[in-house]
Amino acid sequence: MEVYTLSNGVQIPKIGFGTWQIPEGELAVQSVAYALEAGYRHIDTAQIYGNEASVGQALAQSNLDRQDIFVTTKVWNDKIGVEDTRASLEESMEKLGLDYIDLVLIHWPNPAASREQLPWQERNAQVWKALESLYREGKIKAIGVSNFMIHHLEALLETAEVAPQVNQVMLAPGTPQKDLVAYCQDKGIQLEAYSPFGTGTLFENEEAAKLAREAGLSLAQLALAWSLDKGFVPLPKSTSPENIQANLAIEGLQIDPHAVEVLDKLQGVKGQLDPDQVDF
Ligand SMILES: NC(=O)c1ccc[n+]([C@@H]2O[C@H](COP(=O)([O-])OP(=O)(O)OC[C@H]3O[C@@H](n4cnc5c(N)ncnc54)[C@H](OP(=O)(O)O)[C@@H]3O)[C@@H](O)[C@H]2O)c1
């Protein structure tokens, strides 16, 4: 598995395995186990997905060396201070069966749950302090954010002592988020592309299907090639062994600039939610 190098020198496998909406239990254990067997070395989970223990079980069963696996989790919206964030991450480590986590992200920048209690800028600064402390203690190897737009990043950078190394946002055909991408790339923040297939909505898109046929690729390959061409870390999710395998078979895929342009402007694929308007 090829890697990118984050701004702090940590290496991150170029493709990650997404686990949102894979419920805790047999299906999650099987899917992650199958992904590891197929060759994924990067697993993306979150506290709110409720499947950290299943991810941990699959990791334990895999017998892979710890240093060969890259695991991400995300701090959920109900955490607002240093102590509750730290405690929640101790719990995540226990569920994952890990004594350190490779990457921890603040899941959303402006949670509805804390909107009335304190300004989002303050909440993010507090949660970030907790991440920085665990980072300094070596319990987290890289720290970052998710769903942060430029104004959220600018506010965080006012108080951060360690700059975020990653921003995980919705990046898929139809949602290239060019200004945000340029801003992050300028600051050395690695972009991760969540929902690289628009949570499956891409597979119903006629225009994309036509483009894939013309390029001699599957639709999934076309979307992943688009993502890698832009230097993102795509995080495809699947519970089907066939698709899990297929989403990894993309080495050396080329996409021509015209196809990139058409995909940038694609209509009808699920896009990025406005993080300042979400009701969770
Ligand atoms: N940070 C955030 O706020 C956030 C938000 C959303 C997602 N994420 C992360 O990004 C990951 C991926 O996003 P997502 O879960 O929204 O979905 P996605 O990866 O964009 O799409 C998944 C859908 O595509 C189907 N699929 C996968 N590979 C396929 C293939 N090769 N051919 C045909 N169909 C295929 C899957 O069905 P099968 O399962 O049947 O294959 C599933 O229905 C998440 O799991 C999560 O880790 C993060």
Side-chain angles (χ1 to χ4, degrees):
M1 169 75 71
E2 286 182 35
V3 296
Y4 296 113
T5 302
L6 301 178
S7 58
N8 64 346
V10 166
Q11 294 194 322
I12 183 170
K14 278 193 176 179
I15 300 174
F17 182 69
T19 65
W20 178 41
Q21 292 180 313
I22 310 183
E24 182 94 290
E26 214 178 308
L27 185 62
V29 178
Q30 271 174 10
S31 304
V32 176
Y34 190 79
L36 292 170
E37 222 179 283
Y40 291 80
R41 291 295 177 265
H42 172 176
I43 310 294
D44 183 80
T45 182
Q47 292 173 343
I48 193 65
Y49 299 171
N51 58 19
E52 289 175 312
S54 300
V55 170
Q57 204 179 317
L59 291 171
Q61 284 171 14
S62 75
N63 286 323
L64 286 164
D65 286 345
R66 175 66 186 93
Q67 71 268 20
D68 294 335
I69 309 166
F70 189 100
V71 180
T72 301
T73 197
K74 313 182 193 89
V75 175
W76 186 237
N77 292 1
D78 55 348
K79 311 299 176 301
I80 58 172
V82 176
E83 286 316 315
D84 59 342
T85 301
R86 280 188 63 102
S88 78
L89 287 167
E90 296 289 350
E91 201 180 312
S92 289
M93 274 184 257
E94 203 175 307
K95 286 182 181 163
L96 289 162
L98 301 176
D99 54 12
Y100 70 88
I101 303 175
D102 299 276
L103 174 64
V104 173
L105 310 175
I106 302 181
H107 206 147
W108 288 88
N110 188 357
S114 57
R115 241 172 249 158
E116 271 149 40
Q117 292 178 53
L118 78 174
W120 57 262
Q121 292 88 335
E122 250 172 70
R123 179 258 176 186
N124 291 339
Q126 290 302 308
V127 173
W128 192 252
K129 266 195 180 64
L131 265 53
E132 286 177 329
S133 67
L134 289 165
Y135 175 72
R136 288 198 185 96
E137 290 162 26
K139 290 186 173 172
I140 304 176
K141 300 299 177 191
I143 54 179
V145 293
S146 177
N147 295 296
F148 273 50
M149 302 295 115
I150 293 174
H151 61 288
H152 303 119
L153 286 162
E154 299 223 294
L156 185 73
L157 288 169
E158 278 179 27
T159 55
E161 290 173 10
V162 179
Q165 289 123 17
V166 167
N167 190 12
Q168 180 183 126
V169 292
M170 163 85 204
L171 290 164
T175 308
Q177 306 218 49
K178 287 187 179 175
D179 292 346
L180 175 65
V181 166
Y183 177 90
C184 289
Q185 289 177 339
D186 181 57
K187 294 245 178 305
I189 301 172
Q190 174 65 49
L191 287 147
E192 292 188 333
Y194 79 59
S195 304
F197 309 136
T199 317
T201 56
L202 179 74
F203 298 107
E204 294 145 28
N205 192 288
E206 287 301 327
E207 196 183 352
K210 182 169 167 275
L211 209 60
R213 275 194 304 275
E214 284 167 5
L217 302 174
S218 72
L219 245 179
Q221 283 176 322
L222 184 75
L224 294 170
W226 175 89
S227 205
L228 292 167
D229 183 76
K230 289 171 179 281
F232 306 154
V233 178
L235 304 169
K237 169 263 169 190
S238 177
T239 52
S240 133
E242 197 184 310
N243 290 343
I244 290 173
Q245 184 87 50
N247 294 340
L248 210 55
I250 54 151
E251 216 164 291
L253 280 189
Q254 299 289 332
I255 181 167
D256 73 68
H258 170 69
V260 171
E261 239 176 80
V262 176
L263 288 175
D264 282 354
K265 295 186 183 125
L266 200 72
Q267 299 284 314
V269 176
K270 189 184 154 192
Q272 169 80 55
L273 290 176
D274 180 346
D276 292 316
Q277 299 298 328
V278 293
D279 61 0
F280 48 83

